[in-house]
Amino acid sequence: MIAMVVGVWTRVRGYLGRMSMYRLVLLALAALTLVALVLSFFGLVVPGPLELVATLAVLLVATVGANALVQRLLKMPIRHESSLITAGILLFILRPTLVPLELVWIAFAAVVAVASKYLIAWRGRHILNPAAVGAAVLTITGLGASAWWVGSPVLAGPVLVLGLFVLIRTERLRVVATFFVIAVGVSVLRLAVQSQAAGLAVDAGQALQFALWSSPFLFLGAFMLSEPLTLPPRRWQQLTVAAVVGVLAGWPIPVGSFTLGQERALLIGNLLAFLWAAHHTVRLRLADARMITPSVRQLTFEARRPVRFAAGQYLELEVPHAKADARGTRREFSIVSAPSDAPTVRIAYRVKAGVGAVAGAGAGAGAGTGAGAGESTYKKALAVASPGVDYAATGVWGDFLLPRNPNAPVLLVAAGIGITPFVSQLREARARGIERDAVLIYVASEASELAFRDELEASGIEVIVFTRDQPRDLPANWVWARGVRLDAEGLPRVVPDLSSRHAYVSGPPQLIAELAPALDKARSLTTDAFAGY
């Protein structure tokens, strides 16, 4: 049953993965704004239609204008998605108005929010949620206050549905669910304690209903806490941050004349996350770019500062370029190199074979395939990358990690470029002298597309190859599946002891979904879905 759920989940995520996280959040906020505007005509939300339109116009002008000014001064490519998202969030947490002076202060909060992305930053990564900074500064200065009017029963449903799409895309559903449960529970407890202290009766059901549907917890979690750039790398760290923010949001703590409300609770969580994430943001200098198969290109970087990661994790690489498409200027790549290879960091990605631009000067033998027609603007920009150019790795994330117990039998299933995290894990195990009971299923379109053969052969593990044509010169511990179809029926045929192994699957969502019924038999299942670049 669990594997079936995973299969459906990965299919949905694969579809959403065709769009950048920022574009999806922007569309979700636009849809929520439209819903709120319609509801305002019937008086079902606090602000009226004119107040909503006027405030939105001011926020858009202020955020887009400030962002364009800063990026022009810093000679950066001008991109508006992030500033539009900030405007959309501020619309729902500040109080919409028609009063000119109040609109001026709302514009001030928007400018502060944009400025915080550049001023409160570490190695190109902002530390605090920009919208929360803008709202907090507005409150602290006494020029205004956050209202969080989005916490309304009529908006709870749209926030829940649209937020769910965002959380599936960012894989933060478990983190935000933890925050939400804790925030709701603490909020009910707070009301009970305060009512008892005042000698009043407590209606627990009513308190729960209010916390669930009339609080801003859903919006705060789905659209603000879930931001990847302000979360730490490991899942347990993210859950810790979620718990801290949940407690502080559910039970606001008075600090002097201020109450530690929603946005300030989030800012404290951001600071805690930064303590864990500070060492995972680095500058990478491209040292080499080469084709290692007809459709796989490998990039080798040298880290300017120490980079910390665990084998199996991924980094987010920013490649600024003009006229970026819907996927944006950032992509996630599993790290191919092992932690012991530092400061060298390698990644690899798939390109369309046989077309494209020659890689930059210094690329190794076989370079000559970059990105051609039909590729994303990101890949096209990366295709002409030359050695010596610096890029920002905005963070390292992921829990696609092998069991700590090296004696635990594992099944590794990789399709195409999904082999990359396993190369890192097996390379690190070899560097540490760890021998694992591992079986690797390697799926590729053709034998020529079996990337990293040398490194996989050096690991000494059993490998079962699924390709249309028979690979030549296979080592003794490698087996060609000879036409067996890799699906729920074929998997147990090639791995009879599946039930005794912990399964790890890295590849396209469709593969994970097809294998789901068979993977139900494994001792555990961990997936790493590649949604494309």
Side-chain angles (χ1 to χ4, degrees), residues 10 55 71 273 289 302 348 387 422 447 478:
T10 51
T55 302
Q71 290 183 339
E302 295 297 323
F422 297 135
W478 285 48

Side-chain angles (χ1 to χ4, degrees), residues 184-204 207-208 250-252:
V184 169
V186 172
S187 177
V188 173
L189 176 63
R190 168 177 172 255
L191 181 60
V193 171
Q194 292 179 340
S195 297
Q196 186 176 18
L200 302 175
V202 180
D203 187 336
L208 179 60
W251 198 316

Side-chain angles (χ1 to χ4, degrees), residues 57-67 106-108 110-111 114:
V58 168
L59 287 170
L60 290 175
V61 171
T63 54
V64 172
N67 191 65
I106 286 176
F108 167 72
V111 171
V114 171

Side-chain angles (χ1 to χ4, degrees), residues 281-432:
T281 304
V282 295
R283 300 292 295 182
L284 300 175
R285 174 159 293 176
L286 183 61
D288 181 69
R290 65 180 66 225
M291 298 300 299
I292 58 175
T293 79
S295 68
V296 175
R297 188 169 187 241
Q298 177 180 265
L299 303 181
T300 301
F301 300 91
E302 295 297 323
R304 303 289 296 275
R305 297 182 179 89
V307 55
R308 299 180 183 180
F309 67 95
Q313 289 189 305
Y314 62 88
L315 60 79
E316 184 182 66
L317 186 70
E318 182 171 14
V319 180
H321 58 282
K323 298 181 180 179
D325 60 19
R327 296 295 312 279
T329 61
R330 293 171 177 162
R331 295 291 191 282
E332 298 165 352
F333 297 91
S334 290
I335 303 174
V336 180
S337 54
S340 55
D341 292 329
T344 298
V345 177
R346 289 185 294 147
I347 63 173
Y349 64 99
R350 187 177 181 276
V351 299
K352 291 185 181 298
V355 293
V358 176
T369 305
E375 295 281 29
S376 65
T377 58
Y378 182 95
K379 275 190 178 179
K380 291 178 180 179
L382 202 55
V384 297
S386 300
V389 176
D390 287 350
Y391 295 94
T394 54
V396 174
W397 291 275
D399 288 88
F400 194 69
L401 311 178
L402 296 183
R404 291 185 178 181
N405 179 9
N407 297 319
V410 294
L411 168 64
L412 315 177
V413 182
I417 199 62
I419 192 65
T420 48
F422 297 135
V423 175
S424 176
Q425 291 165 343
L426 295 173
R427 185 177 179 86
E428 182 67 6
R430 185 158 57 93
R432 295 189 177 189

